[in-house]
Amino acid sequence: YHVAIQIRELVSSGKYTVEIHPISFLDGNSVNEYSSRAANAAICVAENSPADFYDFNHALFQNQPQEGTPGPSNDELFETAKSVGVQNQETIKSCIDSKSYGDWIKTTTSKVLSKDYVVEGTKLPVTGTPAIFVNGEQYTWETFADLTNPARFAQWVQKAAGN
């Protein structure tokens, strides 16, 4: 059970909305610019097969390479997209191969990681990923177990949402 799945369920309930902003800050720690290519692929799926975005995003995180190693190729990213059942496969393949959102990712990453940037509705910067905010409050954790603990996350969401 993963917090991303929990977020999908909260959004599906109709009670919450979500904004996801892919950024790429690990290209320098990758042999083949995997970070920006994976962010691009996520946007390609979100734009062209939105119902499959969460499954694709989850698959990317499940198969995230170690820093300093090559990440999956564009063909492998597309195979992952196909494995979650994306629609508009030809368009998504072309989008991944041409890195259609590369300039947007570069601009957004620079903006988000600048020293003056704060998340809209807060006075908080983005200090890592994932960065999760509800009503101006940031979800924080000390360990991976804290990050992925569904009960802890649910309790935090309810408190931050004022429920």
Side-chain angles (χ1 to χ4, degrees):
Y1 198 79
H2 193 272
V3 169
I5 294 168
Q6 206 168 357
I7 291 171
R8 174 179 28 194
E9 290 171 355
L10 291 168
V11 171
S12 293
S13 74
K15 190 172 181 180
Y16 298 91
T17 58
V18 67
E19 288 184 32
I20 297 174
H21 302 266
I23 61 172
S24 167
F25 61 92
L26 291 176
D27 273 358
N29 295 333
S30 162
V31 175
N32 59 359
E33 297 184 338
Y34 175 71
S35 181
S36 61
R37 290 184 310 98
N40 177 74
I43 298 169
C44 293
V45 170
E47 289 294 319
N48 296 289
S49 191
D52 300 306
F53 171 78
Y54 283 109
D55 290 335
F56 181 67
N57 193 54
H58 182 71
L60 288 178
F61 277 104
Q62 291 296 103
N63 298 302
Q64 190 169 356
Q66 293 281 5
E67 287 184 31
T69 65
S73 67
N74 286 348
D75 287 340
E76 290 169 315
L77 286 170
F78 178 63
E79 288 302 316
T80 299
K82 285 188 348 186
S83 77
V84 301
V86 296
Q87 305 298 307
N88 303 310
Q89 291 184 7
E90 204 170 290
T91 302
I92 290 172
K93 173 74 168 129
S94 175
C95 182
I96 290 171
D97 287 343
S98 66
K99 204 172 182 181
S100 295
Y101 296 99
D103 289 342
W104 183 89
I105 292 164
K106 186 176 181 178
T107 300
T108 300
T109 299
S110 293
K111 175 182 160 188
V112 168
L113 297 180
S114 74
K115 65 181 177 105
D116 299 324
Y117 180 80
V118 293
V119 174
E120 186 177 336
T122 78
K123 294 180 181 180
L124 302 169
V126 172
T127 57
T129 61
I132 303 169
F133 300 86
V134 172
N135 289 343
E137 293 187 39
Q138 183 173 12
Y139 183 58
T140 59
W141 58 89
E142 291 185 24
T143 66
F144 183 75
D146 287 346
L147 168 62
T148 59
N149 182 311
R152 182 178 188 276
F153 183 72
Q155 184 178 35
W156 176 80
V157 168
Q158 288 179 347
K159 181 180 175 197
N163 296 333

